Amino acid sequence: MNRRHLVTAIAATALAAGIAPATAQTFPARPVVMIIPFAAGGPTDVVGRIVAEAMSKNLGQTVVIENVAGAGGTTGSTRLTGAQPDGHTIMIGHTGTNAASVALYPNLRYNPLTDFAPIGLVNTNAILLVAKKDLPASNLSEFAAWLKANERSANNAHAGIGSVSHTTCLLLHAIIGVKPQSVPYRGTGPAMNDLVGGQVDYMCDQVVNVAPQVRAGTIKAFAVAQANRNGALPDVPTTTEAGLPNYQVVVWNAMLAPKGTPAPIVARLNEALRAALADANVRTRLADLGADLPAENLATPDGLRAFMEAEIAKWTPVIRAAGVTAGN
Ligand code: ASP
């Protein structure tokens, strides 16, 4: 009997004996792979690693990070849809991969609502407009004037078409009335290196990624695009305070499994996620980075599904109005 037949025979025997192949009791049977659809060192990666470490303790198995970057996070998301739906492969998707991508990618290889089993919202995150240290502007109005005057030469770094750093700057550009050139990276971790180095001019990125650099003084921050100042960077004004009240955008990270993952296993992963988010050390680390914990109703699989549906409806007209497409 070859290996495949042996495996089939064991599975048949197990089924005949009434033993389900994967249950909440036997899960996880081995390390769980968490796909991060962006490069290491960026905000999705940083949040994913903090949560994975705490989930490992709760699950009794290591949650291993696998960075599968490319195409604004859609490459890693497509990878998840091909994984075994047994809970051993999960992913951190976000506003880009599971909402904005729908309007941006005419040939998106997955349906963000039907090809995944939502586990729960992980966090929300404010977007900050940041620039290289020597960009000749010291506040948001001066930045807007600089961008209008330098529209043809300005470089906007982002994490690929459809990433949140791309879509949230699209929104900013639409408000200011410019269409500058953009430079895609495999994540805003590597993009941040070039911003610090001065090779690119500015970025709209999550506070998790920008807070350490702003504190270190290696880049400058013009405004946070949310109603209140962010606890991690209390000196940075809100966009309302800085004179651009229409620029309001908060993004999110969500934990997903492939569709078809059994409900008890999704529930077990949700329990581990909630335990991670309740962990004092995780809360301190996320708060220090300026990440906000999800509302209770969004920390559930059903809550997340409804939220993603609303987010697709919210982002689709924004993308259409900006007139951009990834055309893949
Ligand atoms: N900040 C990236 C984005 O724009 C994601 C990342 O690099 O983690 O979507």
Side-chain angles (χ1 to χ4, degrees), residues 143-152 154 169-181 202 322:
F143 171 79
W146 172 87
L147 189 52
K148 280 187 170 166
N150 295 279
E151 185 176 352
R152 292 167 73 88
C169 252
L170 278 182
L171 202 57
L172 176 76
H173 296 154
I175 293 169
I176 297 179
V178 289
K179 284 200 173 174
Q181 170 174 302
Y202 67 99

Side-chain angles (χ1 to χ4, degrees), residues 124-130 140 164-165 167-173 175-176 203-208 210 221-231 233 236-252 290 292 314-315:
T124 58
N125 218 202
I127 290 289
L128 274 91
L129 171 61
V130 293
L140 185 54
V164 295
S165 43
T167 48
T168 58
C169 252
L170 278 182
L171 202 57
L172 176 76
H173 296 154
I175 293 169
I176 297 179
M203 194 153 76
C204 302
D205 199 15
Q206 299 170 50
V207 62
V208 164
V210 307
F222 293 126
V224 56
Q226 66 178 10
N228 301 311
R229 290 191 179 204
N230 190 279
L233 291 171
V236 177
T238 64
T239 42
T240 303
E241 290 171 325
L244 215 59
N246 292 347
Y247 187 47
Q248 298 282 338
V249 54
V250 172
V251 300
W252 43 270
D292 295 308
K314 178 175 128 186
W315 278 97

Side-chain angles (χ1 to χ4, degrees), residues 8-24:
T8 311
I10 291 171
T13 312
L15 281 176
I19 304 165
T23 66

Side-chain angles (χ1 to χ4, degrees), residues 109-121:
R109 291 198 197 90
Y110 56 88
N111 179 323
L113 290 175
T114 56
D115 283 329
F116 302 100
I119 297 169
L121 203 69

Side-chain angles (χ1 to χ4, degrees), residues 5-70:
H5 287 133
L6 179 65
V7 170
T8 311
I10 291 171
T13 312
L15 281 176
I19 304 165
T23 66
Q25 284 76 41
T26 59
F27 172 81
R30 56 180 186 280
V32 172
V33 173
M34 181 188 280
I35 295 175
I36 298 293
F38 292 98
T44 318
D45 182 73
V46 167
V47 169
R49 281 173 200 273
I50 292 173
V51 171
E53 197 183 304
M55 282 179 74
S56 302
K57 286 184 208 144
N58 184 278
L59 291 169
Q61 285 280 358
T62 311
V63 179
V64 188
I65 300 292
E66 192 184 342
N67 297 89
V68 185

